[in-house]
Amino acid sequence: MGCSRLQATVARTASDGNEGSRRVSRVASAPVLQKLFSDLFDAHPVWYQNFNLVPGGATVTGVAPVPNQGSSASFLQDRILVREEMTSLTLDEFLEKVEGVARCALERLAIPVLTAEQCVIRALVTPRNYQDSREFLTHGMLRFPAERWGPLGRDLSMLGLRLVFPNTPTDNSLYNVRVESYGGDVRSLFLEVSGVFPAVTTAAQISLLSQ
């Protein structure tokens, strides 16, 4: 199974010149963002080769060897977003990239802490022994035969399952899981796992982002 998207978002705060910190209300200047790109390129030249200013910040991207592939990192007013689309990166390699991007950003943008992390993994897979993912969901997974939908008077075009795992007294992380048929190809099954981890992370604790 290959991952079609790996995405991590970290919320950030910036020092306001007084004691403590506040949510970012300003965008880093273009020269500072360009220096951040230079830092990343010097440390990891194969990660990103292009720099673009965007509303609210900047985005750096890698060279896509084939269409629909993409590797990018966005440095926005209130968050840092690291994304891989249809690339060959493993999960461990992706987490290494998240850690490296965050480390460079904290140093160059003078961010004292990161306040939360969200990680999303999406994939398209093809179930074995089923030509239609809806059949896999109704018969193989949910054990809910399609004929039971008869009283609704219409056939199913899509079907899915969503699970939410809330935080607990000892773990404040939150998880969402989606398993759905895919509209673009009836043979494919769409999978998504999203985790939100509210925790203050300093530069000295940056390795915690990959745990």
Side-chain angles (χ1 to χ4, degrees):
M1 182 183 74
C3 293
S4 59
R5 170 179 286 184
L6 295 164
Q7 176 178 306
T9 305
V10 287
R12 44 172 283 196
T13 62
S15 173
D16 61 1
N18 301 314
E19 292 185 2
S21 62
R22 62 175 173 84
R23 181 70 64 179
V24 172
S25 59
R26 60 179 177 81
V27 179
S29 67
V32 171
L33 291 168
Q34 288 172 331
K35 289 179 180 178
L36 172 57
F37 171 58
S38 296
D39 293 343
L40 276 170
F41 187 81
D42 290 343
H44 308 280
V46 301
W47 283 2
Y48 308 111
Q49 295 79 41
N50 304 303
F51 171 87
N52 292 286
L53 291 174
V54 298
T59 294
V60 296
T61 57
V63 176
V66 297
N68 299 323
Q69 283 193 3
S71 179
S72 67
S74 297
F75 306 93
L76 305 176
Q77 194 168 358
D78 63 346
R79 69 195 62 200
I80 302 165
L81 175 63
V82 183
R83 180 179 293 170
E84 296 289 318
E85 298 275 3
M86 301 296 291
T87 66
S88 59
L89 243 64
T90 66
L91 180 59
D92 287 340
E93 291 170 335
F94 173 70
L95 293 175
E96 179 185 353
K97 179 176 283 192
V98 170
E99 183 179 325
V101 168
R103 192 182 304 278
C104 286
L106 262 67
E107 181 177 349
R108 177 58 66 179
L109 301 181
I111 303 171
V113 297
L114 302 173
T115 58
E117 179 185 14
Q118 179 183 26
C119 193
V120 181
I121 300 175
R122 297 186 179 102
L124 287 177
V125 300
T126 303
R128 294 181 179 178
N129 305 320
Y130 289 90
Q131 296 298 314
D132 191 319
S133 62
R134 294 167 296 184
E135 293 181 4
F136 166 75
L137 288 168
T138 54
H139 294 281
M141 182 176 177
L142 300 177
R143 308 290 183 181
F144 198 86
E147 52 267 22
R148 291 193 178 181
W149 300 102
L152 296 177
R154 299 194 181 191
D155 294 332
L156 286 173
S157 63
M158 293 186 68
L159 178 69
L161 174 69
R162 181 183 178 188
L163 304 173
V164 178
F165 301 92
N167 54 12
T168 70
T170 58
D171 186 345
N172 65 349
S173 57
L174 171 69
Y175 296 89
N176 283 271
V177 178
R178 291 168 57 193
V179 182
E180 302 174 357
S181 57
Y182 181 60
D185 181 356
V186 296
R187 298 170 300 174
S188 297
L189 195 67
F190 172 79
L191 306 177
E192 179 185 273
V193 180
S194 174
V196 179
F197 311 94
V200 174
T201 305
T202 66
Q205 301 168 312
I206 218 64
S207 61
L208 295 176
L209 292 179
S210 59
Q211 297 180 7

